[in-house]
């Protein structure tokens, strides 16, 4: 394995077994922190205590970048602990861009935003998701973590052409990609991270790599986790696909 | 409806404190309320899993 990604929030404590394991991992591999609770799109004020804990974690790991999702999760008096979609509006772009700039300034590290799987669209939407994603990245001057499975899941749930999305992403801003499996629930597809990467997602990945070149790729498999050999084989498949596209 | 109002309303809908109306667009396969129900179910399942 070339490197590992950790869920940032699982390693924000001051010590204990999690930190011990992290330090052991870091002794042998590069580790990239990936958050799920920054809530960059929430209109609630930034959780500065959370950002301070993240800063401590980043100082411990010294990663080339850190990432979180282009979503919201906090509302007045509640943290919903979900990756809730934003309406694709000018107002939301202005809001997120300001927050991303602020977070990058506070944490003094390159930040990458991941596109989420979504299960609803808003009446208020003013543009397709890929235009929203690209404009946020350009205006905030941040990196992108392109999740090819999320593109596919959302495309099936909302009826758009996923290749259009892949082709519209600012390729020079993509610092990392995600691959994962999903589950067909009949009337929609759920991003479950519980299975092999599907052929349609591999095809999107190949298309994306042809545009971005060799960027770090992670296979997410965090539910119904198989034996290590199975996981390693899926990661090797990603490495092989990337090499084939770029050869 | 501005961003703050949308988030406040959706937060209530996800928690089952408001009817899932007026925000989601829906599509041919899922009505607006069915789209929000997906998030409402996930919200419940995460709480159930946390209590296990």
């Amino acid at each position: 394995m070339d490197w590992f990604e950790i869920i940032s929030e699982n390693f924000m404590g001051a010590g204990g077994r999690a930190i011990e394991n992290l330090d052991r991992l870091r002794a042998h591999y590069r580790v990239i922190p990936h958050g799920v609770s920054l809530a960059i799109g929430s209109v609630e004020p930034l959780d500065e205590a959370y950002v301070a804990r993240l800063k401590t974690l980043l100082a411990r790991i010294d990663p080339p970048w850190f990432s979180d999702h282009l979503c919201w999760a906090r509302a007045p008096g509640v943290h919903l602990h979900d990756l809730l979609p934003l309406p694709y509006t000018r107002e939301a772009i202005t809001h997120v861009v300001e927050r991303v700039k602020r977070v990058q300034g506070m944490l003094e590290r390159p930040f990458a935003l991941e596109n989420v799987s979504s299960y609803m669209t808003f009446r208020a939407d003013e543009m397709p998701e890929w235009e929203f994603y690209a404009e946020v990245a350009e205006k905030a001057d941040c990196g992108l973590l392109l999740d090819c499975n999320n593109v596919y899941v959302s495309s099936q749930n909302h009826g758009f052409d996923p290749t259009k999305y892949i082709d519209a992403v600012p390729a020079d801003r993509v610092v990392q990609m995600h691959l994962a499996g999903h589950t067909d629930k009949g009337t929609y597809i759920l991003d479950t991270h519980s299975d092999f990467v599907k052929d349609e997602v591999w095809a999107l990945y190949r298309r994306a790599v042809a545009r971005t070149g060799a960027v770090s790729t992670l296979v997410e498999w965090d539910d119904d986790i198989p034996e290590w050999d199975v996981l390693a084989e899926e990661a090797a498949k990603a490495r092989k696909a990337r090499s084939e596209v770029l050869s | 409806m501005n961003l703050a109002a949308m988030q406040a309303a959706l937060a209530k809908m996800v928690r089952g404190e408001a009817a899932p109306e007026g925000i989601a667009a829906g599509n041919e396969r899922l009505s607006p309320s069915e789209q929000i129900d997906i998030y409402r179910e996930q919200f419940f399942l995460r709480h159930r899993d946390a209590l296990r």
Side-chain angles (χ1 to χ4, degrees), chain A residues 37-196:
Chain A
S37 296
L38 181 58
I40 198 80
S42 287
V43 293
E44 286 289 286
L46 266 179
D47 183 344
E48 296 200 4
Y50 171 92
V51 176
R53 290 199 301 275
L54 181 55
K55 190 165 189 169
T56 301
L57 177 67
L58 296 178
R60 175 182 285 273
I61 298 176
D62 193 24
W65 66 83
F66 68 101
S67 60
D68 205 304
H69 301 82
L70 181 52
C71 70
W72 68 280
R74 290 192 299 116
V78 63
H79 197 310
L80 294 158
H81 295 290
D82 201 343
L83 307 174
L84 294 164
L86 286 157
Y88 306 131
T89 63
R90 295 273 154 217
E91 182 196 11
I93 288 175
T94 302
H95 176 67
V96 174
V97 165
E98 186 275 325
R99 299 259 284 206
V100 172
K101 284 181 174 174
R102 198 162 148 228
V103 165
Q104 287 197 128
M106 290 164 81
L107 296 177
E108 302 171 304
R109 303 251 175 191
F111 176 46
L113 270 178
E114 179 181 350
N115 57 301
V116 296
S117 287
S118 71
Y119 311 101
M120 67 172 284
T121 47
F122 289 83
R123 289 185 186 183
D125 285 346
E126 297 166 0
M127 64 192 84
E129 182 184 340
W130 53 89
E131 285 182 22
F132 182 83
Y133 191 37
E135 193 165 332
V136 166
E138 296 291 355
K139 287 185 169 168
D141 193 20
C142 68
L144 296 176
L145 195 178
L146 177 61
D147 189 315
C148 295
N149 182 58
N150 288 352
V151 170
Y152 181 77
V153 168
S154 294
S155 77
Q156 299 306 294
N157 289 341
H158 307 314
F160 64 77
D161 177 357
T163 63
K164 207 178 241 184
Y165 195 127
I166 296 293
D167 293 350
V169 169
D172 58 335
R173 292 195 176 274
V174 178
V175 297
Q176 187 185 326
M177 285 199 239
H178 272 172
L179 293 164
H182 56 250
T183 303
D184 190 338
K185 306 286 277 185
T187 52
Y188 65 97
I189 292 178
L190 192 62
D191 177 31
T192 48
H193 299 183
S194 62
D195 204 346
F196 292 95

